[in-house]
Amino acid sequence: MKFWQESLDNTFAGRPPREPICLLLYKALQDLEERAGGATKKSIKFWVSRLVKTRERHMDNRPYASLAGLEDYAENTYSTMMYATLASTPLRSMHIDHLASHIGKACGIVAVLRGIPVLAAPAQPVKTPSGVNAPITREPSLLLPLDVMAEEGVKEEEVFRQGPNAPGLQDAVFKVATRANDHLITAREMLKRLKEGQDPGHDFEHEGEAEHIYGEENDTVREIRQSFGVLLEAVPAAQFLENLEKANFDPFAVRSSGWRLPWRIWQSLSKERL
């Protein structure tokens, strides 16, 4: 992660390393600066740096201490990527950032649930070109919040050994999935109210924090239309939660949505409805 932080610092300073992502980012930043000025570039750097630093703190795949801790992680990664994308449009709107915050938190929680069958499974042996098994470098991990696991009596070792049959696992997954779904419900209700010209219904908890400083409100309906492609992140998250519910909250039994997901994304985009 140190490589990426240094590469990003050099890219934003006008000295991109000869690395494809950094070169493309540098070109995009140049184009954006011509259109919107340097403030937007500064905002994007803040968000991307926060993402890298947060991921660096969680590279060891340790469980989250609480459900609130998982939400904080999701805010600092998934929501943050949405903030960076919105800044690149460029768009600075409290209401749109507020929507992105809820959607990003839902996406971050869903990512943890989606990863359970992968991370909790033993690492598969990998053969070297000479035919020898390479050393296993990854231990199984379970990232469900510790407070939820304690409430439902879930033990890591039982999940590693028994998988979906581990006592309490489905109840714990249900509780975590409910929080993700709550964020999506809130985002949908907010979107409906904003399109009707009403206030969002509750305050934005991050208003006033770094890069969440806003001027006068503009045409909210126009801003929703401008940013809706970013807000579509809600659709795959909602689809996964529905599939998880159909599997009785067994993350090992969730089936792919197949062609239904792109169809649903198209419907959401055409109707501007999450």
Side-chain angles (χ1 to χ4, degrees), residues 168-182:
L169 177 63
Q170 287 168 259
D171 292 331
V173 169
F174 168 76
K175 185 167 288 188
V176 176
T178 298
R179 183 64 61 89
N181 194 51
D182 287 345

Side-chain angles (χ1 to χ4, degrees), residues 175-233:
K175 185 167 288 188
V176 176
T178 298
R179 183 64 61 89
N181 194 51
D182 287 345
H183 282 295
L184 292 178
I185 291 172
T186 301
R188 292 188 189 108
E189 292 175 349
M190 278 184 57
L191 181 63
K192 181 180 178 182
R193 291 176 63 92
L194 291 171
K195 291 174 74 173
E196 292 173 350
Q198 303 179 43
D199 62 74
H202 63 285
D203 294 334
F204 182 27
E205 63 177 318
H206 301 294
E207 182 183 3
E209 296 177 3
E211 294 302 323
H212 282 308
I213 308 297
Y214 308 97
E216 296 182 2
E217 288 299 321
N218 298 314
D219 184 347
T220 302
V221 174
R222 180 186 62 80
E223 291 175 342
I224 290 172
R225 188 172 298 113
Q226 181 182 348
S227 64
F228 203 77
V230 181
L231 303 181
L232 284 175
E233 292 286 347

